[in-house]
């Protein structure tokens, strides 16, 4: 039997982990990235080119069964161009919705998924109206190309409105959102196959610092059935509305047991890395299964899992390897401030043991 060949737009660590999951299934992944040193190239074929280079993209697509993405800011025209040559999954419409915070929140609203109150900000005058409408504190965000907290300004008082506008207006259009006093941030990783089969991992609790994910825990501590239900219903509605195929992540703010959707990612997600070591089937394998129309794998957790991101710098492998119970994943990237270089997952059958192991591990790997 000919093995399936999957093309992936983007060649970062998410692509690398997709390739590692694909190897076990006898699948071969071909990546397309602008950077010749993209780390997925260590474990799969890497083709280097601009996302606007039609000739190179056509060479990339030759012989592929399906194209997917591991990078959200793939230009929508690139995805559409490829979709005329080969199946692109999730379909480009999902990418288009997720790339624009306003369209994304409009879609949430249309589907009855609660979000923080938000307003479109098309001009300086519109910002004043939005501030008057929503009140302060609020967050001004670029509608497009923001990630990990970039392209955002928190407005706590009227004096900050001008400054935020001056900083962000160059990258307009913008959106204003109420600053939510959430208890915690959670996410759901869901999958839907081309055959319409759906599956959900349990809710994940996430800690961010400076807009970057630091720690994920699954199952989310103190999670209740109604909270899990809200997250699953939201993901299911989005996947059905977009006739989605692949893994979809939805991030929420938990406000007293009520979930407000912040954003979605039409791809595997950092808050699902724990699934490699802590679930019967990883998110990476389930993404591949979903886009190939294979039966989805079991999403059950095998214990209580915690995942710590290694950001900017990390102790040498010798020290990481000495952390009791730690499963170490390094992506082969050069250290740089704010860069995701790897992660460490700990899985324990007992939540109390996990909490102790996590404390030890955090002391070993996190900067003070
Ligand atoms: P985002 O790029 O939208 O995921 O934002 C990055 C982080 O900023 C989030 O994970 C939150 O910690 C924080 N944040 C974003 N939007 C809001 C909001 N409307 N209210 C409170 N915190 C927010």
């Amino acid at each position: 039997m000919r093995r399936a060949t999957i093309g992936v737009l983007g060649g970062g660590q998410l692509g690398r982990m997709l390739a590692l999951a694909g190897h076990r299934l006898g699948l071969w992944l071909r990546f397309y990235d602008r950077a010749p040193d993209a780390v997925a190239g260590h474990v799969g074929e890497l083709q280097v080119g601009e996302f606007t280079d039609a000739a190179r993209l056509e060479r990339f697509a030759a012989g592929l069964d399906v194209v997917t993405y591991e990078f959200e800011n793939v230009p929508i025209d690139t995805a559409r161009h490829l979709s005329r040559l080969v199946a692109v999954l999730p379909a480009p419409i999902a990418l288009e919705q997720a790339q624009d915070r306003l369209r994304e929140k409009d879609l949430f609203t249309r589907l009855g998924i609660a979000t923080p109150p938000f307003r479109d900000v098309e001009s300086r005058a519109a910002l004043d109206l939005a501030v008057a409408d929503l009140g302060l504190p609020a967050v001004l965000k670029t509608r497009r190309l923001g990630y990990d907290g970039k392209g955002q300004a928190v407005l706590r008082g009227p004096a900050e409105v001008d400054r935020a506008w001056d900083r962000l207006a160059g990258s307009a259009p913008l959106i204003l959102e109420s600053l939510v006093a959430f208890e915690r941030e959670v996410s759901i990783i869901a999958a839907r196959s081309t055959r319409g089969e759906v599956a959900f991992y349990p809710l994940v609790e996430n800690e961010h610092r400076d807009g970057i994910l630091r720690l994920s825990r699954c199952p989310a501590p103190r999670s209740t059935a109604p909270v899990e239900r809200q997250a699953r219903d939201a993901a299911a509605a989005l996947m059905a509305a977009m006739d989605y195929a692949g893994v979809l992540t939805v991030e929420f703010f938990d406000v007293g047991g009520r979930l407000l959707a912040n954003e979605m990612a039409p791809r595997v997600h950092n808050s699902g890395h724990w699934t490699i070591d802590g679930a019967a089937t990883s998110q990476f394998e389930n993404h591949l299964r979903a886009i190939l129309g294979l039966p989805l794998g079991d999403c059950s957790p095998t214990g209580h899992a915690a995942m710590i991101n290694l950001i900017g710098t990390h102790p040498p492998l010798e020290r990481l390897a000495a952390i009791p119970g730690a499963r170490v994943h390094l992506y082969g990237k050069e250290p740089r401030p704010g860069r995701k270089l790897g992660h460490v997952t700990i899985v324990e059958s007992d939540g109390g043991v996990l909490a102790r192991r996590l404390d030890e591990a955090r002391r070993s790997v996190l900067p003070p």
Side-chain angles (χ1 to χ4, degrees):
M1 199 182 80
R2 194 182 73 84
R3 66 181 173 184
T5 301
I6 297 168
V8 184
L9 297 169
Q13 68 269 14
L14 300 176
R16 181 183 167 104
M17 289 183 269
L18 279 171
L20 294 173
H23 285 181
R24 289 196 15 231
L25 301 178
L27 304 171
W28 183 244
L29 274 67
R30 179 188 298 164
F31 296 92
Y32 191 91
D33 199 290
R34 296 172 63 193
D37 59 350
V39 293
H42 304 168
V43 291
E45 178 190 345
L46 174 66
Q47 296 193 4
V48 179
E50 294 297 323
F51 284 112
T52 47
D53 187 335
R56 272 186 204 272
L57 285 166
E58 276 160 37
R59 271 205 300 280
F60 166 72
L64 294 177
D65 295 283
V66 56
V67 166
T68 189
Y69 2 76
E70 63 91 70
F71 165 66
E72 220 163 302
N73 289 327
V74 171
I76 191 66
D77 288 343
T78 303
R80 287 205 193 291
H81 176 64
L82 282 170
S83 69
R84 288 189 279 273
L85 307 170
V86 55
V88 175
L89 296 172
I93 183 74
L95 192 65
E96 202 171 8
Q97 297 280 359
Q99 281 178 350
D100 181 335
R101 292 181 190 277
L102 182 67
R103 286 190 63 168
E104 180 180 60
K105 290 214 162 61
D106 279 339
L107 175 66
F108 292 158
T109 306
R110 271 204 310 284
L111 295 173
I113 301 166
T115 70
F118 63 95
R119 292 288 181 275
D120 184 11
V121 173
E122 284 181 326
S123 62
R124 182 67 183 79
L127 176 58
D128 283 338
L129 279 177
V131 167
D133 239 13
L134 299 182
L136 296 179
V139 199
L140 188 62
K141 298 181 179 178
T142 58
R143 273 171 58 179
R144 309 178 68 81
L145 297 177
Y147 66 96
D148 285 348
K150 295 190 175 70
Q152 303 193 7
V154 175
L155 314 180
R156 296 197 182 274
E160 289 170 43
V161 176
D162 272 330
R163 216 177 315 140
W165 174 259
D166 290 343
R167 184 154 81 74
L168 294 179
S171 20
L174 305 172
I175 182 174
L176 187 75
E177 298 173 13
S178 292
L179 185 75
V180 176
F182 55 78
E183 271 142 47
R184 58 176 177 171
E185 295 185 76
V186 295
S187 60
I188 183 138
I189 318 284
R192 183 173 186 267
S193 81
T194 53
R195 294 162 182 236
E197 186 189 355
V198 295
F200 306 92
Y201 293 93
L203 204 62
V204 184
E205 182 178 303
N206 301 312
E207 276 179 38
H208 294 83
R209 203 193 309 157
D210 304 326
I212 304 178
L213 181 68
R214 303 285 157 161
L215 174 75
S216 289
R217 265 181 290 194
C218 190
R222 306 174 310 283
S223 192
T224 61
V227 171
E228 293 275 343
R229 171 65 42 213
Q230 290 171 61
R232 284 182 186 213
D233 286 352
L238 285 163
M239 294 192 299
M242 297 188 285
D243 193 17
Y244 195 84
V247 161
L248 175 78
T249 308
V250 191
E251 296 182 81
F252 303 90
F253 303 128
D254 181 350
V255 186
R258 179 161 185 258
L259 296 190
L260 302 179
N262 176 35
E263 60 182 357
M264 65 176 176
R267 53 168 172 78
V268 287
H269 194 258
N270 195 170
S271 67
H273 288 2
W274 65 272
T275 61
I276 300 174
D277 303 302
T281 314
S282 78
Q283 63 163 348
F284 300 98
E285 180 169 333
N286 261 337
H287 183 72
L288 298 174
R289 287 176 178 237
I291 61 175
L292 291 173
L294 298 168
L296 296 178
D298 182 1
C299 293
S300 307
T302 55
H304 296 260
M307 187 250 14
I308 305 169
N309 263 344
L310 303 173
I311 294 169
T313 175
H314 60 76
L317 180 56
E318 200 179 349
R319 259 188 52 212
L320 293 172
I323 299 170
R327 306 193 194 190
V328 182
H329 300 252
L330 297 178
Y331 309 145
K333 288 161 111 180
E334 287 301 317
R336 199 190 297 152
R339 205 172 194 206
K340 290 174 178 168
L341 303 177
H343 69 268
V344 168
T345 305
I346 303 169
V347 185
E348 293 289 343
S349 51
D350 181 89
V353 176
L354 176 71
R356 282 199 298 283
R357 289 248 190 271
L358 182 58
D359 275 349
E360 291 164 20
R362 288 183 103 170
R363 277 198 296 278
S364 306
V365 304
L366 289 185

